[in-house]
Amino acid sequence: MSSEHPTEPDGSDTKDRARRTDAKRSFNALVQAARDVFASSGVDAPVRDITGKAGVGTGTFYRHFPKRGDLIAAVFRNEVDSCADAAPALAENHPPLEALAAWLHRYSEFIATKRGLASALHSGNPAFETLPAYFDARLRPALSQLLERAAKAGEIRTDLDADDIISAVANLSMPARTARPDHTRRVVNIFMDGLKSR
Amino acid sequence: MSSEHPTEPDGSDTKDRARRTDAKRSFNALVQAARDVFASSGVDAPVRDITGKAGVGTGTFYRHFPKRGDLIAAVFRNEVDSCADAAPALAENHPPLEALAAWLHRYSEFIATKRGLASALHSGNPAFETLPAYFDARLRPALSQLLERAAKAGEIRTDLDADDIISAVANLSMPARTARPDHTRRVVNIFMDGLKSR
DNA sequence: TGATAAACGGAACATTGTTCCATATATGGT
DNA sequence: ACCATATATGGAACAATGTTCCGTTTATCA
């Protein structure tokens, strides 16, 4: 489900050869290493930290991500993919309301842990311009699926759509400066309670 | 009104000599140069750009601002001071409602042009920890003064306090990605209309 | 006016971003 | 299985920027 090669342009291939397997391996290793390093050191971490953890040279890094923002965008896309892909899995293994709650917390964690995200989106960097659309395209269907299932079961109110909920939970999950540790989880729970039909 | 030396600790001076005048001059030159450079190149502008414009050496820079965040915080404090100081001046020279509207636009512009602000506040950098309290301490009284004056004249509703308005206008002023040029000014105007008593 | 501590400037050093290219390797045709 | 070739790789070299250090200058006070 998750696209390991997110930005392939139109299907036209003037290329006579396919992308080499070592290139794919490097690409994935870099995205994964970057995710770890970003989590511990923030999105401004040195390139050498990432290449070191990925076990590739700096030249390889710049071959795959000519602009630094390209890597950050790839990491975000990768994480959004994981989050979206969690929805069908949850739907299969849990009752409707439970699956919905679990996914909202999953999504909330994604927002809360990505400090750099909001800044990146507002930075004006062209590498990030397509991200919001991508987020929407992946997350809305994922949530819609869970919502519809819960709505069919008559377990939630129906006067909010996926968009409302995605942005509401995002705002709730923005880490507040003065918040107690479990703050986000609690407010999202409250929101979730409000979502239930009475 | 504006404090040119914002972070002097408790009044106790164990110091036998006062701060030298050239030190004050350098400090102010740096803050002013930084404000200009930040405006044109963002808060990540090279240190040498700032020292160059200020006409001081890099050593002087680090003597005044051991951490880069210290400078950014100083610039923000400086701008908040300007904004707060505008309130009494507007109150003297304009009718209540007009003064209030003018100040809200002034404040809105401050928020809108400081892209780096929100990111800085959420960055977890300890240099910024005291900023929100400072903002509140300076801006709330400034706005309260204008609100009370307009309320006494019976020109505005009274079921919103300064805090509500400060945060509401801040949210309205956050530059949206897809917004048309004059977007912020228009929505702030609408908010201002809503504020009038009927 | 002279002694002194404070402040200054900028070279030197440290860190990180980016480019370049000689070398290594996957791929498709034979 | 082997070769020719485009592709990918690694890391040294370079560039840009952050930060420290210290010899020199200057404001302040007695």
Side-chain angles (χ1 to χ4, degrees):
Chain A
M1 195 59 79
S2 67
S3 60
E4 74 179 5
H5 187 198
T7 35
E8 192 60 63
D10 58 286
S12 75
D13 51 72
T14 49
K15 309 287 183 181
D16 28 8
R17 290 197 187 192
R19 215 164 64 130
R20 276 168 46 166
T21 56
D22 54 349
K24 287 185 215 162
R25 203 178 47 238
S26 293
F27 182 96
N28 290 334
L30 281 168
V31 171
Q32 201 161 320
R35 196 199 50 197
D36 295 350
V37 172
F38 286 174
S40 56
S41 314
V43 291
D44 291 326
V47 170
R48 283 167 181 75
D49 284 5
I50 299 167
T51 56
K53 179 161 270 199
V56 307
T58 55
T60 304
F61 176 93
Y62 283 98
R63 158 170 283 263
H64 288 288
F65 304 102
K67 303 286 173 192
R68 188 196 176 74
D70 296 337
L71 171 66
I72 299 177
V75 169
F76 282 152
R77 265 193 286 262
N78 186 67
E79 304 227 3
V80 167
D81 284 337
S82 306
C83 189
D85 292 348
L90 289 169
E92 270 185 35
N93 301 315
H94 299 275
L97 205 59
E98 213 174 283
L100 176 59
W103 190 86
L104 285 183
H105 282 297
R106 172 79 171 73
Y107 168 64
S108 167
E109 265 166 41
F110 162 64
I111 297 291
T113 55
K114 296 298 156 296
R115 302 267 160 138
L117 213 176
S119 321
L121 258 29
H122 287 82
S123 70
N125 184 329
F128 302 132
E129 262 169 22
T130 63
L131 271 186
Y134 186 77
F135 280 23
D136 188 61
R138 296 289 281 131
L139 295 177
R140 183 145 51 137
L143 175 56
S144 290
Q145 175 194 11
L146 297 174
L147 282 178
E148 274 171 35
R149 185 154 159 269
K152 273 210 183 83
E155 308 206 70
I156 58 165
R157 50 199 293 176
T158 55
D159 57 349
L160 283 175
D161 64 11
D163 277 328
D164 293 327
I165 296 173
I166 281 176
S167 63
V169 172
N171 286 333
L172 287 175
S173 306
M174 284 300 180
R177 269 177 309 288
T178 62
R180 300 208 300 284
D182 221 22
H183 170 83
T184 298
R185 171 158 272 273
R186 279 183 286 106
V187 299
V188 171
N189 265 330
I190 291 172
F191 183 79
M192 183 65 210
D193 277 350
L195 217 53
K196 292 177 190 163
S197 56
R198 51 206 64 226
Chain B
M1 192 62 76
S2 67
S3 61
E4 76 178 5
H5 187 196
T7 36
E8 193 61 60
D10 59 287
S12 77
D13 52 73
T14 50
K15 309 285 184 182
D16 29 7
R17 291 199 185 188
R19 217 163 65 131
R20 279 170 43 166
T21 55
D22 53 351
K24 287 186 216 163
R25 203 178 45 240
S26 293
F27 182 96
N28 291 334
L30 281 168
V31 171
Q32 201 161 320
R35 197 199 49 197
D36 295 349
V37 173
F38 286 173
S40 56
S41 315
V43 291
D44 290 327
V47 170
R48 284 167 180 75
D49 285 4
I50 298 167
T51 56
K53 179 162 271 200
V56 307
T58 56
T60 304
F61 176 93
Y62 283 98
R63 158 169 285 265
H64 288 288
F65 306 102
K67 306 283 173 191
R68 188 195 178 74
D70 297 338
L71 171 67
I72 299 177
V75 170
F76 282 154
R77 266 194 285 262
N78 186 68
E79 304 227 3
V80 167
D81 285 337
S82 306
C83 188
D85 292 348
L90 288 169
E92 270 186 36
N93 301 317
H94 299 275
L97 206 59
E98 212 175 285
L100 177 58
W103 191 85
L104 285 182
H105 282 297
R106 172 79 170 74
Y107 167 64
S108 166
E109 266 166 41
F110 162 63
I111 297 290
T113 55
K114 294 298 158 298
R115 302 266 161 139
L117 214 176
S119 321
L121 258 31
H122 287 82
S123 70
N125 185 330
F128 303 132
E129 261 167 24
T130 63
L131 271 186
Y134 186 78
F135 280 23
D136 188 61
R138 295 290 281 132
L139 295 178
R140 182 145 49 135
L143 175 56
S144 291
Q145 175 193 10
L146 297 174
L147 282 178
E148 274 171 36
R149 185 154 159 269
K152 274 211 183 82
E155 307 205 72
I156 58 166
R157 48 197 296 174
T158 56
D159 55 350
L160 282 175
D161 64 11
D163 277 327
D164 294 327
I165 295 172
I166 282 176
S167 62
V169 173
N171 286 333
L172 289 175
S173 306
M174 285 300 178
R177 267 180 308 291
T178 61
R180 299 208 300 285
D182 220 23
H183 169 85
T184 299
R185 170 158 274 272
R186 279 185 284 107
V187 299
V188 171
N189 264 331
I190 291 170
F191 183 81
M192 182 65 210
D193 277 350
L195 217 55
K196 291 177 190 162
S197 56
R198 52 207 64 229

